[in-house]
Amino acid sequence: MASPGPDPAPTSRVDSAYRKLREAIIEGEYPPGSPLRHSELTDAFGVSLIPIREAIRKLEVERLVDSVPNKGARVAAISLDDVDDVYQTRIALETEALRRAWPRLSVEVVEGISETRERMVERVRRDDETFYELHRRVHFEIYERSESPWLVHLIEILWSHTERYRRLAAKLDSFVDEGSDLHGVILEAIKAQDRDAAEEALRNDLQRTARLMFTAYQEQETQAAG
């Protein structure tokens, strides 16, 4: 009988627990404010206590988890102040990335990004959640041409933090609207070499998610008061 393979390295176990827990939080399996009990997580993910603790620490850095002394870890609550702050910061960084990338957004580059967008739209219509990765590619194929590793790195951090907002917003309204797909508007403005219009469309794209989150929470507060 073949001998069993070696146990996964500690780093691999931490990374596995981190990825699984992060995805569960983003997808809403652990709603905002819900406790993250170590014993339950070790059973759910099939790892020991140490990888769970390290995974929670990494998620604290991303501000997806809060740890309160003597109370343990909880999924970070959704704060409208946070939504406003993080999206205003994203607008500042992402429009700057667009400006820096502008000289390198050739017709050929935009055609390639447009093909990615078309695949994204098709998967949205099929309700295929793999569209989220294509959505990311549409944006980062622009930002990475800024030739600023630090700027792209900061955008990636905020992108990860806002993933659950984006997914919640997608459940509230069509991700791409037939009449005004903002991703298409951005690309058309780039093709027309109209940087102001491209920046405005990008701002509108980011602000839409924030508006949807605000509307949803205002409705919840109204229902609770009624």
Side-chain angles (χ1 to χ4, degrees), residues 65-104:
V65 169
D66 292 327
S67 288
V68 180
N70 303 318
K71 292 186 178 180
R74 291 182 176 272
V75 177
I78 288 179
S79 157
L80 292 184
D81 286 341
D82 181 65
V83 172
D84 181 60
D85 187 18
V86 74
Y87 273 95
Q88 291 300 325
T89 305
R90 281 190 59 188
I91 287 169
L93 294 177
E94 292 177 42
T95 53
E96 176 62 20
L98 173 61
R99 282 192 287 270
R100 295 193 191 188
W102 194 261
R104 287 170 287 280

Side-chain angles (χ1 to χ4, degrees), residues 19-59:
R19 288 194 304 270
K20 290 177 180 177
L21 181 54
R22 185 180 182 280
E23 188 68 17
I25 290 171
I26 287 171
E27 292 186 352
E29 292 178 33
Y30 295 98
S34 60
L36 297 172
R37 298 183 178 90
H38 290 177
S39 59
E40 293 177 0
L41 295 174
T42 57
D43 290 341
F45 299 143
V47 295
S48 65
L49 186 59
I50 291 175
I52 292 297
R53 284 175 173 166
E54 290 301 317
I56 286 174
R57 287 195 187 101
K58 291 178 74 171
L59 291 166

